[in-house]
Amino acid sequence: MKRVFSLRWIVTGVTMVLVGASVAGVSAVYDRAARRAISTQVESGLLLRARQLAGAASGALLTDFPELTLHPLLRDLRLRQPELALLVVHDRSGTIHGHPDVRALGTWFTIPKGLQPVATDEELGRGESLARNRDLLVATTPVLHPGGGVLGAVWVGIPHRHLEHLLAEARSRQRVGFAAFAGTSMVVALLLVSLLLRPLGEVRAGIARIAGGDLDSPLRIRDRTELGHLALAVNDMAAKLKRAQAEMLERERLATEMGLARRLQRSLLPREGRAAAQFRIEGEQWAASEVGGDWYDVIEREDGRVVIAIADVSGKGLGGCLVAAMLAALVRGLRDVETSPATLLAAIDRRLGETLPPGSFVTLWYGVLDPPTGELVFASAGHNPPLVLRADGRVEWPRSTGIPLAAIRGGAVAATLRDERLRLSPGDLLVQYTDGINEAFVDGGDEAFGLERLAAAATKAAGGGARAVVEELHAAVNAWRGGGAAHDDETVVVLQHQALEAPGAGGTSGNGAAAAAPSLLAEARRRGGSLCIPATLTALESLRDWMQCQDGLGSLGRDDAARVELALHEACANIVEHGYRGRTDASLELWWLAEPGAGVRGWLVILDQAGPFRADNWSASDFTDPGVRRRGRGFGLDILHRVMSDVRYEQAAAEGNVTLLRFVGTSSTGEVVRDG
Amino acid sequence: MAEAFEITAGESRGRAAVVRLRGRLDAGGVQALLNHTSRVLAAEQNLVLNLSQVSFIGSSGVGALLVTLEMFREQGCDVRFVELSAAVAAAIQVLNLDRFLPIEASEDVAISKLAA
């Protein structure tokens, strides 16, 4: 942290500097004044002394022996004022008659050398003078006869040293005084600054409190200086901060609640698409507000059928979400209990009627799909009819009667509900949706997206699969709205019957086989995930691990997995032993083409580049024949044919030989499909 | 990871020779198995074949089991297959050979049955 400069010391320091400067200035001025004062004082003192002496000498010089009077006088004077270096009274002829030193009496007076008159403010009488030389300041006064004649002169002198001495004394006195003054002013300055700045400490403490989150203790400074204003400003800031904080907390709380609601909403919807036998079911919801009021679900029943439900709740936001949650719970709870969609909807209607606020209602479309047969039973409570797009391009809108659930309370809705049926064949497509799709408007426009456009969009994307249709519908509605905001939730569920190109209807070798191998091989290459191994028996050890990674095969029970591995091993071993006949540079490649649906089923495709072969006319071994058992050979094909429901050998031109093995696992009821 | 095929001879108990197999039994290991069992047969012993450690058995392996059984029975000896691993059990079950192969739950049971 940077060094903190205390105001206290800055102010004090500056004060000291100012005081020092002024003291120095004053001192200089004073010095000069003092010098002048002292000089004047000395001069006048000197003159006075001289005049006094002259007065005394006047009478003495008239006597015969003036020394008798003057000498003691001067000696005394010298004793009293030792600084008077020159003290002489002489007569008209210059003979000294008065002198502190006896030996000087009677001698001639020598005027001190180099005397220059001194400018002075003193009034000098006749014959008086004030002069100085290098050493002395001298005052001279004539001794006058009472009648007016000059009897002699008095000379009084004082050395400059004395003056300097006096000055030095004065200066030191002055210094003490100034020091005291400086000291006092420093102390006063310190005290004053401290006093003034005390509120600053209070302000700082207050701001620290605010920074610590305490917005409730205002600064209490009853100061009339700027600090008082500062305190007011800080208090004001604290109050505003407090308000802003409260607002932010409120917003956060709301956002959290909405976030929770949104998560709840999303959790009610299927996370991803689903496959059921040959069907692919995809759905998506684009919520208009933060929380949607539409709901859809795709769930399996215990008997393997798939429930598709879609609903529109007449209330957006949090309320709609809660009703959707209720629907989800009811549908999930009742789906295995009721086989008839109409009955199920009636049951839901009763429950909803008890719970929903008056005026609320729900449209719900409920369908049950039997994937193996493609049969769909459905009922609709006031919901839009689904679009059924047939493989040949026909467009149908199968309707059902039925008013929305809880539109009328008391169970009257039940009577309007009816089960309807339809069958979906390979290539057919069913689309369910909510109002947000077909009633999408351009802002300010008067034409809705409509059912025809819906059918057109679905038709356009049908070739790309269920997901593509979902995306295309969303894009088309978006484009229709011109990119404006949606006013309603848009929910879409698409059901498509896809069929893998299964050659024939399963069954014995050779049926309709010619077209099968290339298409299965092509499909295999498209899907990838193959195992490519050298054509050696040792390499076949990796079959087990590869199987465990395969969709479906990896989930087989231990016994089933062992059977499949056995069969696969036999097929590959055949290729190794009979096809390649010991070639070490060869390899074979295999794929597993899983088919969607209950249980594990699909095609194993093995490709090799061994020499062409003729498919053996295989017949099952008769193990009751001891000879067969004794021979102990040729069981491989038995295993193959017992585990796989179809075994074919093809030659795919330029690619090599293709072995096709169809595996159909146990059904969901645990029945073994093919007897061993 | 090669699961090498191993044949381990256990201690003989009376007239029964215990042989334990380990690893993958496919076409490569069949000959070694038949050689070993032939030696057991040549010693006029019964065979108790422990298959608990067999991780995989191919059709040729199954064939070898059948051949071994026929071989022993022709010579007046007997074979018991014990502690079938899951892989062996699956192979036997696929071919419905369980009625042709004498299978026992453990070596002790097999030995006591052979002694009887």
Side-chain angles (χ1 to χ4, degrees):
Chain A
M1 193 164 124
K2 285 207 260 195
R3 280 182 52 202
V4 176
F5 298 99
S6 163
L7 254 177
R8 201 168 274 130
W9 292 111
I10 291 174
V11 169
T12 308
V14 168
T15 308
M16 285 304 302
V17 167
L18 284 176
V19 162
S22 39
V23 158
V26 165
S27 179
V29 166
Y30 181 86
D31 231 25
R32 213 171 327 171
R35 182 180 284 274
R36 187 151 344 143
I38 288 174
S39 300
T40 312
Q41 191 185 45
V42 164
E43 284 164 15
S44 58
L46 218 55
L47 266 174
L48 186 68
R49 193 55 80 217
R51 284 176 190 153
Q52 278 177 346
L53 273 176
S58 165
L61 281 178
L62 284 175
T63 67
D64 285 331
F65 295 102
E67 299 89 346
L68 287 174
T69 320
L70 291 176
H71 177 67
L73 197 65
L74 289 181
R75 206 186 51 211
D76 255 345
L77 190 55
R78 171 61 74 82
L79 279 174
R80 275 189 287 122
Q81 281 187 264
E83 65 269 17
L84 294 171
L86 181 66
L87 211 54
V88 168
V89 178
H90 65 81
D91 65 14
R92 250 190 358 221
S93 67
T95 312
I96 295 174
H97 291 287
H99 199 280
D101 188 358
V102 152
R103 286 167 303 178
L105 292 173
T107 60
W108 252 265
F109 174 64
T110 326
I111 297 175
K113 289 201 179 50
L115 280 177
Q116 299 289 338
V118 164
T120 178
D121 297 327
E122 296 295 324
E123 252 195 54
L124 293 172
R126 192 165 61 88
E128 282 183 337
S129 74
L130 205 55
R132 57 177 290 151
N133 68 3
R134 203 184 55 192
D135 303 312
L136 297 169
L137 178 69
V138 173
T140 310
T141 308
V143 179
L144 294 176
H145 188 279
V150 174
L151 293 172
V154 174
W155 288 72
V156 183
I158 189 166
H160 297 306
R161 257 184 299 115
H162 184 68
L163 196 128
E164 296 304 326
H165 170 72
L166 285 177
L167 258 178
E169 264 184 13
R171 211 180 281 134
S172 70
R173 273 200 304 277
Q174 174 207 59
R175 275 207 197 101
V176 168
F178 280 153
F181 174 64
T184 315
S185 28
M186 179 166 112
V187 166
V188 166
L190 250 174
L191 284 176
L192 194 65
V193 169
S194 300
L195 210 71
L196 286 177
L197 293 185
R198 192 180 320 146
L200 206 66
E202 171 76 22
V203 169
R204 204 176 77 185
I207 290 179
R209 274 204 307 277
I210 290 173
D214 175 8
L215 297 173
D216 292 314
S217 348
L219 297 175
R220 267 173 263 282
I221 297 176
R222 267 180 236 81
D223 198 311
R224 295 258 195 95
T225 65
E226 288 86 342
L227 291 179
H229 283 199
L230 179 63
L232 283 176
V234 168
N235 286 344
D236 190 35
M237 177 185 82
K240 290 209 174 79
L241 269 178
K242 191 161 177 227
R243 263 202 303 280
Q245 199 185 56
E247 275 170 30
M248 197 174 74
L249 279 173
E250 184 61 31
R251 265 203 303 276
E252 259 178 36
R253 192 181 62 80
L254 219 64
T256 313
E257 281 189 1
M258 288 309 264
L260 280 172
R262 204 179 311 127
R263 272 205 294 285
L264 173 65
Q265 164 71 7
R266 292 311 298 179
S267 74
L268 295 175
L269 305 178
R271 250 174 271 288
E272 55 196 0
R274 164 190 287 271
Q278 318 295 42
F279 284 88
R280 184 83 204 158
I281 309 170
E282 294 276 354
E284 189 70 59
Q285 179 187 97
W286 298 272
S289 63
E290 290 191 312
V291 182
D294 286 354
W295 170 77
Y296 77 95
D297 206 356
V298 178
I299 11 169
E300 244 183 47
R301 285 167 36 143
E302 278 171 347
D303 61 3
R305 296 204 183 118
V306 179
V307 164
I308 301 127
I310 186 168
D312 190 343
V313 175
S314 70
K316 301 292 164 283
L318 213 47
C321 173
L322 294 175
V323 175
M326 253 195 295
L327 278 180
L330 286 168
V331 166
R332 280 165 188 252
L334 292 171
R335 75 183 188 278
D336 285 309
V337 173
E338 297 290 354
T339 22
S340 150
T343 322
L344 184 138
L345 288 183
I348 296 183
D349 168 65
R350 280 196 298 278
R351 303 280 193 297
L352 282 185
E354 294 158 10
T355 335
L356 285 185
S360 299
F361 57 86
V362 172
T363 68
L364 177 58
W365 184 93
Y366 183 94
V368 181
L369 173 73
D370 185 35
T373 58
E375 191 183 71
L376 180 73
V377 187
F378 66 93
S380 175
H383 202 81
N384 315 302
L387 162 69
V388 174
L389 194 58
R390 299 291 181 182
D392 59 9
R394 272 177 300 138
V395 168
E396 294 166 9
W397 300 95
R399 292 182 176 272
S400 175
T401 59
I403 61 176
L405 307 176
I408 307 175
R409 306 294 163 104
V413 171
T416 66
L417 301 167
R418 184 157 54 231
D419 286 343
E420 301 290 340
R421 281 164 210 281
L422 58 89
R423 178 181 293 269
L424 292 172
S425 309
D428 290 350
L429 191 81
L430 182 143
V431 179
Q432 250 302 3
Y433 52 94
T434 58
D435 276 357
I437 297 282
N438 56 311
E439 287 184 15
F441 278 91
V442 190
D443 262 333
D446 57 2
E447 200 188 333
F449 185 71
L451 299 179
E452 283 192 10
R453 284 190 192 87
L454 197 161
T459 312
K460 179 171 156 197
R467 188 76 217 163
V469 174
V470 170
E471 306 285 354
E472 176 62 36
L473 276 173
H474 180 55
V477 170
N478 253 353
W480 179 253
R481 272 192 280 104
H487 296 292
D488 209 344
D489 298 339
E490 294 163 11
T491 310
V492 172
V493 181
V494 174
L495 193 61
Q496 191 184 41
H497 189 305
Q498 335 159 279
L500 196 62
E501 290 170 70
T508 59
S509 316
N511 263 353
S519 67
L520 281 176
L521 187 60
E523 175 67 17
R525 286 203 192 285
R526 194 186 65 79
R527 288 202 201 174
S530 69
L531 176 71
C532 193
I533 45 173
T536 63
L537 285 179
T538 329
L540 299 186
E541 288 172 15
S542 54
L543 287 176
R544 184 178 297 179
D545 287 346
W546 175 80
M547 271 177 56
Q548 271 165 10
C549 299
Q550 298 306 305
D551 188 23
L553 291 184
S555 60
L556 284 174
R558 192 188 60 172
D559 294 330
D560 272 359
R563 289 153 56 91
V564 174
E565 187 195 347
L566 254 179
L568 198 51
H569 176 100
E570 293 311 320
C572 295
N574 267 348
I575 297 171
V576 169
E577 287 170 340
H578 305 297
Y580 285 121
R581 279 179 231 277
R583 267 171 60 192
T584 50
D585 61 331
S587 66
L588 48 91
E589 195 172 5
L590 53 141
W591 296 261
W592 161 246
L593 301 178
E595 286 168 21
V600 179
R601 62 181 71 194
W603 286 92
L604 284 156
V605 180
I606 311 172
L607 178 68
D608 69 81
Q609 274 90 36
F613 64 93
R614 280 178 321 124
D616 290 334
N617 279 332
W618 171 79
S619 55
S621 305
D622 180 9
F623 290 111
T624 58
D625 179 359
V628 169
R629 301 201 299 274
R630 206 176 298 124
R631 206 173 55 243
R633 296 175 60 76
F635 304 149
L637 292 176
D638 284 281
I639 291 176
L640 210 48
H641 283 265
R642 284 165 184 248
V643 173
M644 300 295 168
S645 64
D646 201 358
V647 179
R648 302 179 194 198
Y649 305 101
E650 299 301 316
Q651 268 132 30
E655 301 247 38
N657 306 313
V658 182
T659 308
L660 302 167
L661 307 173
R662 178 153 178 77
F663 175 71
V664 178
T666 55
S667 75
S668 52
T669 59
E671 278 177 10
V672 176
V673 174
R674 274 190 67 92
D675 196 40
Chain B
M1 182 177 74
E3 293 174 64
F5 178 55
E6 279 170 29
I7 307 170
T8 319
E11 71 289 359
S12 298
R13 307 252 289 267
R15 249 187 88 194
V18 174
V19 175
R20 300 188 184 103
L21 302 185
R22 177 188 197 76
R24 293 175 66 91
L25 176 54
D26 54 12
V30 159
Q31 202 52 53
L33 176 61
L34 288 175
N35 289 347
H36 193 103
T37 55
S38 305
R39 283 201 294 277
V40 169
L41 183 58
E44 291 181 18
Q45 287 182 297
N46 293 323
L47 177 64
V48 173
L49 200 57
N50 187 316
L51 301 165
S52 60
Q53 300 299 308
V54 176
S55 57
F56 176 82
I57 187 167
S59 61
S60 34
V62 173
L65 297 184
L66 284 173
V67 165
T68 301
L69 182 62
E70 291 306 315
M71 238 170 43
F72 271 67
R73 287 205 170 147
E74 271 174 26
Q75 302 285 332
C77 293
D78 208 358
V79 180
R80 290 287 188 273
F81 303 95
V82 304
E83 292 177 35
L84 266 53
S85 67
V88 175
I92 302 296
Q93 192 249 334
V94 163
L95 293 167
N96 272 81
L97 289 173
D98 26 350
R99 48 200 160 116
F100 297 110
L101 295 176
I103 299 165
E104 299 304 339
S106 72
E107 288 177 10
D108 292 341
V109 173
I111 289 166
S112 60
K113 289 224 175 138
L114 283 170

